[in-house]
Amino acid sequence: MPAIVLIGAQWGDEGKGKATDLLGSRVDYVVKFNGGNNAGHTVVIGTEKYALHLLPSGILTPGVTPIIANGVVVDIEVLFEELDALISRGVDVSKLRVSANAHVITQYHRTVDKVTERFLGKRQIGTTGRGIGPTYADKINRVGIRVQDLFDENILRQKVEGALDQKNHLLVKVYNRRAISVDEIVDDLLSYAERLRPMVADTALLLHEALTEGKTVLFEGGQATMLDVDHGTYPFVTSSNATSGGAVTGSGIGPNRIDRIIAVVKAYTTRVGAGPFPTELFDESGEFLRANGFEFGTTTGRPRRCGWYDAPVARYTARINGVTDFVLTKLDVLTGLDVIPVCVAYSVDGVRYDEVPVSQSDFHHAKPIFEDFPGWSEDITGARTFEDLPRAAQDYVLAIEKMSGARISAIGVGPGREAIISRHDLID
Ligand code: GDP
Ligand code: IMO
Ligand code: MG
């Protein structure tokens, strides 16, 4: 029985929520190991549509134990809101466990996120404004508040005092905002403690025991490889490790326990927020992808930037994460195009790059070198085997598989749970 890591291959919103849901009933535990409520996963089950942010998508599968692990940053108010929304729709959330070591997003983190973005002006990252970056900064700076601190008022107060000491200077003197009082933060956090207490656990130990007993554990990454703080398009990234390594540090299991690494990749590319994006389209083709793919953010509602499939990015993802399988999503969105260009390499000031360049400036200036593939016009949303796809769609999948560094084991042909073609079993 395996431990499986599932991550995003591009800049997020690849359809990780749907892919997780797909594995659903065969999984015993589903673990969120990085990020927070900056994520937005849409899962469509029959006529019901669920938008999840902080909770792992696997929470929708009956019988699964969802875990929010130590690598996550938790906005407790949002946690309760999301839980209540699911409870009111009849979802059983009683098995959720939250790591005592996860860091807590507070009001001052959200405030600092918003004011720093404003002060960056045209160098803005375009964050989700949820306080993610400042909370991870406090964690690394060793002035963070952890879930376990909520159960010792004395310690909590000392830690909040320590954190606010610096931040109030910054807020008042640099950003011209009001100071935040220790009491308002402490009272706010303490008000959540009793409801949270039964959910809090040593999740690293729990996962160790589960894996030892032979349970199937799915580690569900938020964000994506190109948004990873180490391996993404820094500084236009999120503040956590969204790559497969993050599943290890973010949950407390050993790397040798992981059996499968699945990357979810869209049949084209999208990005939300600022930063380099070589295949980005500014013409009607981009509009076609945005309209057909409903490319608007699940978290912020922002229109997503759209572009063609970038094979060097997929290859980079395969390499950085040790990908064993790709799940290719949204192939149906390409239906109706006469020609589908795929980026096979880049040109930077006349020099050809077959791989993602290590220099940030080079990647900013990278111009895609495209190879064109014939499109198809048949509706493919009902296809359930590879052979059901029109020849041109099959050829497109086989061509990008060859360029991308790992096999394509499943293909999404629509938003619904059933709209999937399976080529290789993802759990064995
Ligand atoms: P995530 O953040 O990676 O979980 O992805 P999002 O949920 O933010 O965005 C993916 C969107 O694509 C969601 O609205 C899904 O319902 C939808 N989706 C997922 N797979 C497919 C697919 O194969 N075809 C189509 N048309 N939509 C899909
Ligand atoms: P899922 O899990 C797409 C982007 C933001 C911004 C940058 C930093 O749904 O794929 P942050 O608030 O994290 O400090 O913002 O990262 N970003 C995402 N883009 N999908 C996401 O999550 C994202 N989470 C963060 O738009 O550019
Ligand atoms: Mg998303």
Side-chain angles (χ1 to χ4, degrees), residues 226 229-235 276 312 316 319-320 346 348 352-366:
M226 301 308 276
V229 68
D230 283 274
H231 301 292
T233 48
Y234 190 90
Y316 180 76
R319 167 160 63 88
I320 292 289
Y346 311 111
V348 183
R352 182 183 167 111
Y353 282 72
D354 288 304
E355 302 299 328
V356 170
V358 71
S359 147
Q360 183 200 331
S361 307
D362 287 347
F363 199 51
H364 262 281
H365 294 128

Side-chain angles (χ1 to χ4, degrees), residues 12-16 38-42 52 223 297-299 304:
D13 306 320
E14 296 90 350
K16 298 177 291 292
N38 48 346
H41 308 301
T42 305
L52 296 161
Q223 293 76 51
T298 312
T299 302
R304 294 173 181 153

Side-chain angles (χ1 to χ4, degrees), residues 94-113:
S94 61
K95 289 190 167 167
L96 176 72
R97 292 294 172 269
V98 179
S99 168
N101 288 342
H103 280 248
V104 176
I105 301 178
T106 71
Q107 186 208 323
Y108 52 83
H109 296 112
R110 289 188 295 265
T111 304
V112 171
D113 193 355

Side-chain angles (χ1 to χ4, degrees), residues 309-356:
Y309 190 81
D310 188 325
V313 163
R315 257 197 318 275
Y316 180 76
T317 280
R319 167 160 63 88
I320 292 289
N321 294 288
V323 171
T324 58
D325 304 79
F326 278 111
V327 171
L328 180 71
T329 58
K330 297 195 138 182
L331 186 64
D332 54 301
V333 174
L334 301 179
T335 300
L337 292 165
D338 291 335
V339 173
I340 310 173
V342 169
C343 169
V344 296
Y346 311 111
S347 167
V348 183
D349 300 329
V351 179
R352 182 183 167 111
Y353 282 72
D354 288 304
E355 302 299 328
V356 170

Side-chain angles (χ1 to χ4, degrees), residues 10-241:
Q10 296 152 322
W11 279 278
D13 306 320
E14 296 90 350
K16 298 177 291 292
K18 176 180 161 171
T20 298
D21 182 60
L22 179 74
L23 299 170
S25 57
R26 298 169 68 191
V27 167
D28 301 303
Y29 288 77
V30 58
V31 184
K32 180 173 167 104
F33 61 81
N34 77 303
N37 56 318
N38 48 346
H41 308 301
T42 305
V43 182
V44 182
I45 305 173
T47 54
E48 292 285 306
K49 189 170 172 178
Y50 296 88
L52 296 161
H53 299 283
L54 177 55
L55 292 167
S57 316
I59 199 162
L60 299 173
T61 307
V64 168
T65 302
I67 306 270
I68 292 181
N70 58 278
V72 176
V73 288
V74 183
D75 187 321
I76 305 171
E77 190 181 348
V78 172
L79 173 69
F80 290 166
E81 275 169 16
E82 253 184 63
L83 285 174
D84 288 339
L86 290 181
I87 291 166
S88 72
R89 295 173 77 175
V91 179
D92 176 14
V93 298
S94 61
K95 289 190 167 167
L96 176 72
R97 292 294 172 269
V98 179
S99 168
N101 288 342
H103 280 248
V104 176
I105 301 178
T106 71
Q107 186 208 323
Y108 52 83
H109 296 112
R110 289 188 295 265
T111 304
V112 171
D113 193 355
K114 287 179 190 137
V115 290
T116 44
E117 275 283 276
R118 212 167 299 146
F119 268 66
L120 278 172
K122 64 177 180 8
R123 287 179 296 120
Q124 254 182 23
I125 290 162
T127 73
T128 58
R130 303 295 193 264
I132 306 295
T135 307
Y136 280 115
D138 276 5
K139 171 177 173 174
I140 300 300
N141 218 8
R142 293 164 297 190
V143 292
I145 310 294
R146 295 192 295 175
V147 163
Q148 57 182 287
D149 298 329
L150 267 61
F151 308 109
D152 186 330
E153 184 174 346
N154 200 12
I155 292 278
L156 178 65
R157 190 167 291 280
Q158 285 176 33
K159 290 193 173 175
V160 172
E161 267 168 14
L164 276 181
D165 214 23
Q166 292 176 335
K167 268 175 209 76
N168 274 335
H169 280 295
L170 196 74
L171 284 174
V172 174
K173 293 184 185 150
V174 180
Y175 294 126
N176 209 13
R177 303 281 294 221
R178 76 170 178 90
I180 295 171
S181 83
V182 173
D183 279 344
E184 66 184 294
I185 298 296
V186 170
D187 292 349
D188 188 46
L189 293 178
L190 286 178
S191 73
Y192 304 128
E194 282 325 299
R195 183 169 178 197
L196 191 64
R197 193 189 290 274
M199 303 175 199
V200 177
D202 179 350
T203 52
L205 179 61
L206 217 132
L207 290 170
H208 168 78
E209 288 169 354
L211 287 169
T212 305
E213 281 169 27
K215 299 276 195 265
T216 299
V217 181
L218 176 64
F219 295 88
E220 179 188 328
Q223 293 76 51
T225 304
M226 301 308 276
L227 289 173
D228 180 281
V229 68
D230 283 274
H231 301 292
T233 48
Y234 190 90
F236 301 101
V237 293
T238 192
S239 299
S240 67
N241 285 117

Side-chain angles (χ1 to χ4, degrees), residues 6 14-15 18-23 26 260-267 309 323-332 380 383-386 389 393 397-398 400-401 406-414 416-427:
L6 185 141
E14 296 90 350
K18 176 180 161 171
T20 298
D21 182 60
L22 179 74
L23 299 170
R26 298 169 68 191
R260 270 320 244 290
I261 299 165
I262 301 169
V264 185
V265 69
K266 251 184 239 198
Y309 190 81
V323 171
T324 58
D325 304 79
F326 278 111
V327 171
L328 180 71
T329 58
K330 297 195 138 182
L331 186 64
D332 54 301
I380 62 167
R384 294 294 174 268
T385 68
F386 192 63
L389 292 173
V397 172
L398 294 175
I400 62 176
E401 178 175 57
R407 64 186 186 176
I408 293 175
S409 294
I411 303 162
V413 289
R417 201 178 232 185
E418 70 300 330
I420 196 93
I421 295 171
S422 173
R423 295 178 77 208
H424 305 284
D425 197 358
L426 290 169
I427 307 179

